[in-house]
Amino acid sequence: MKRLIQITVFSLLIFCIAPNVFGQENTAKDPDIEMKGTLYTKYKKQVLAFDKNDFDSLFFEFFQKKNDNKIMLSKEEFYTYTIKIAIYSEKLGLLYKSEKDQAQKTKQEWFNKSYTDYLNSKS
């Protein structure tokens, strides 16, 4: 019986720790992860207070600037937009529990946006 409890506890630890370990490997490959984290912390309270109109304005402004060939966003500007959009996605997951998984996925997609990819799209 004691052996079974030990195996169960060990298995639970592996299942809880493994995603965190593998997640760290993915984020360690992102050279901009520190900047993204700083921006996330800086803008989280502000974006959580956004209403739908604030978000819509932010979202459309980002795509207008992103798609305008005359405008080149700096790395900080690019990540400020993407991280704010990610935070708003997180907010939607908190507001609509049934959409929590989709909101988390969307947040992660925005958080994973790359400035290098943006620059390549401008070429």
Side-chain angles (χ1 to χ4, degrees):
M1 183 68 173
K2 185 177 180 181
R3 178 87 172 133
L4 180 62
I5 292 172
Q6 289 175 336
I7 291 171
T8 304
V9 169
F10 180 74
S11 298
L12 287 173
L13 285 173
I14 293 297
F15 286 118
C16 292
I17 294 172
N20 292 333
V21 171
F22 292 123
Q24 288 175 356
E25 288 178 18
N26 290 336
T27 57
K29 293 179 184 177
D30 185 351
D32 299 323
I33 193 69
E34 188 174 320
M35 177 185 275
K36 290 176 181 180
T38 301
L39 292 170
Y40 179 85
T41 302
K42 181 178 180 179
Y43 291 111
K44 185 172 182 177
K45 286 182 182 178
Q46 175 191 0
V47 175
L48 290 178
F50 276 12
D51 63 16
K52 180 142 175 44
N53 290 334
D54 294 328
F55 174 73
D56 287 346
S57 296
L58 172 79
F59 193 77
F60 291 121
E61 180 180 328
F62 171 65
F63 277 100
Q64 284 177 337
K65 288 184 178 181
K66 182 182 171 209
N67 294 327
D68 188 338
N69 290 330
K70 297 175 187 171
I71 297 175
M72 180 66 75
L73 295 170
S74 70
K75 184 184 278 192
E76 186 170 348
E77 289 172 323
F78 177 80
Y79 284 135
T80 297
Y81 281 112
T82 60
I83 296 303
K84 283 182 174 182
I85 294 169
I87 294 168
Y88 192 81
S89 297
E90 179 181 39
K91 175 184 175 173
L92 292 178
L94 296 171
L95 292 173
Y96 305 104
K97 301 294 184 193
S98 63
E99 300 294 322
K100 185 176 181 178
D101 291 337
Q102 181 59 39
Q104 188 63 30
K105 182 180 174 186
T106 303
K107 173 192 171 188
Q108 197 60 47
E109 287 173 6
W110 280 100
F111 204 90
N112 290 339
K113 296 284 184 190
S114 165
Y115 186 69
T116 305
D117 291 343
Y118 164 71
L119 291 177
N120 291 336
S121 73
K122 287 289 193 172
S123 300

